[in-house]
Amino acid sequence: MEPFKEHKGIAAPLNRGNVDTDQIIPKQFLKRIERTGFGEFLFFHWRFDDDGNLRDDFVLNQPKYENATILLAGDNFGCGSSREHAPWALEDYGFKVIIAPDFADIFYNNSLKNGILVIKMNEEQVQQWMKKAEQGLTLDVDLEKQEITDTDGTVVSFDIPAYHKEKLLNGWDDIALTLLEEDAIQAFEEKRA
Amino acid sequence: MGKALTAFEKIWNKHVIKEEEGKPALLYIDQHLVHEVTSPQAFEGLRLNGRKVRRPDLTFATMDHNVPTINRENMKDEISIKQMEALKKNCADFGVKLADMYHPDQGIVHIIGPQLGLTQPGKTIVCGDSHTSTHGAFGAFAFGIGTSEVEHVLATQTIWQDKPKTLNVQVVGELGVGVTAKDLILAIIAKFGVRFGTGYVMEYTGEAIRNLTMEERMTICNMSIEAGARAGLISPDETTVEFLRGREMVPEGEAFEALAEDWLALATDEGAEYDHTVTIYADEIEPQVTWGTNPGMGVPVSASTPTIADAEYPDEVKRALEYMDLEENQPITSIHVDHVFIGSCTNSRLSDLKKASKIVEGKKVKEGIKAIVVPGSFLVKQQAEEIGLDKIFIEAGFEWRNSGCSMCLGMNDDIVPSGGRCASTSNRNFEGRQGNGARTHLVSPEMAAAAAIEGHFVDVRQFVGVPS
Ligand code: SF4
């Protein structure tokens, strides 16, 4: 995994609560056996109409968000199915950071494992940024300092468990880390056998 | 005697390999269930890094999400075939036991785990599927994981977990006649919302829960994830032990009795404390129907859709009603359906099919309705046929299919068309879940069966033929 240190990018507002992973990536795209290439199917039925044309009324289809890399989302983002295809699609589409008042459990974990920085931020602040993003908002996210700097220079700090932060900063691979515990795992197995 | 503990805490303590302040704990996993959709990238990851499956003996795979429920021999969907072939190859290469499409143990992963007796009290169980919470009905700590975690468990038989908090969902009183486990869990989610369980293991307690059969308990725990919970759990008791006795993967004789004793000791201790408790009164619950686009948007069958202006989040309610093509304040019983689906890991066990068959016996599915029954596993199908349920359903005008996830998520051909409306015994009514543009109403098997006959929702308790 690529280390994540800092990211500056355009923020796109998706102002809906309880966005589930069925919306993020619909089931017909879950049949692939690769990890890549899911970006074009992101929010498929929100982005495209039944004839495959872009829907003008969907926020990510607006030209100003074309190069957005930060997603401002509503509460309980990523609920429902455990499909990791959801963060794969978001990442493949170009999102590096997702900011929401809260995330569903499994989605939060899945995102971190794919190097997406998921930030829990109070609802008021998220709403404020969503408003600003309608006019155009660039955020500078510094993981090391745990700070987000707004276009106008305002700095807001955020929380992230130290353990996740360290892993993201270093781009560590979970399995490699766990294999360092081999002795403990083996001892555990022997004790129970 | 030590401190009084909850069942969850006892299981947790028995599985911690390593625990440090401020960090997730490393937990040992006793049982890993695998299916075709969330595993190919995990096996590929192992291959790329030259890793093995650490404990193939604790891993079990099946095919359920993609499998056709008719014409299995004549599959046309190339990508589905590829995905199932991939699972076959992966299981062969890594030495994992597989119940493929034609295997007598095949079925929805959450149906076959308990059926085989792989699911047992006290186990830690994971699967790349959010409804893994189902297995908590046995007093196991069972939860859904993503594909990266599937790879991690395959490689290490462990997982890093933040210790969840405990939530006691206390069900007071008794469920009324004609009110099912499905109605209870739908009512719980309608009352407390789709995220009240986030960060918690929910343990269901109380008289009403103790009186449920194992199959009913599975229906309850299955939908814990729809409340956002990490897992659902019910303390093991005699009902649990008797369900498991004689199953293929449990020991026999004295070894079983010894094991059963250990299981019973896992039950939450008298006086154990939970981080949080909520209470719901069973006797106030009616049969439920969801009207919206998440499982918390549900009401009693006698009620109506909400008033937009009175809602906590009016925009969401408005959006959901629009998608569902319903008016505000519309009586639930005025909603007509064109599809009925009896199946899914929530409600496709033998008892579910029996109860639904009682409602449809000797009656006819309303003209214009496509109604299908999809048993949860090969074995359920076989057992149902032995007692003639297939005939009852077919005579009433239902289609009788082979087992799989089917119309719960429509990855195979079992799809509700755009604009179609389905009374479904599954667990998710998200936009497009059963097919792009499809509208889903979640109900119990009895309510789905009654809707198939009447063409619209009815209170099953007033329905002729209500099971006594
Ligand atoms: S039946 Fe539905 S919810 Fe259950 S495992 Fe299959 S797709 Fe998931």
Side-chain angles (χ1 to χ4, degrees), chain A residues 27 31 34 75 84 178 189, chain B residues 28 77 148 152 195 409 432:
Chain A
K27 69 232 164 202
K31 295 178 183 174
E34 299 83 22
D75 202 11
E84 197 162 316
T178 307
E189 280 179 333
Chain B
Y28 197 76
D77 182 342
S148 295
H152 189 278
R195 40 163 313 207
L409 92 167

Side-chain angles (χ1 to χ4, degrees), chain B residues 337 339-343 347 352-361 363-366 369 371-373 392-393 396-398 422-425 441-460 463-467:
Chain B
V337 299
H339 282 71
V340 172
F341 169 57
I342 299 179
N347 281 127
D352 297 312
L353 306 189
K354 270 191 202 161
K355 288 175 193 160
S357 74
K358 290 235 170 74
I359 303 279
V360 305
E361 187 158 20
K363 303 197 179 62
K364 288 280 176 221
V365 170
K366 195 90 176 172
I369 293 182
I372 69 171
V373 184
I392 297 176
F393 282 114
F398 279 82
C422 185
S424 178
T425 66
H441 298 274
L442 304 176
V443 287
S444 70
E446 290 91 321
M447 286 286 288
I453 304 301
E454 293 295 321
H456 59 88
F457 290 113
V458 290
D459 187 337
V460 72
F463 198 75
V464 198
V466 68

Side-chain angles (χ1 to χ4, degrees), chain B residues 65 108 110 129 131 344-345 405 408-409 427 433:
Chain B
H65 283 65
I108 303 172
H110 309 308
D129 193 283
H131 291 102
S344 91
C345 57
C405 294
C408 172
L409 92 167
N427 44 52
R433 170 82 180 179

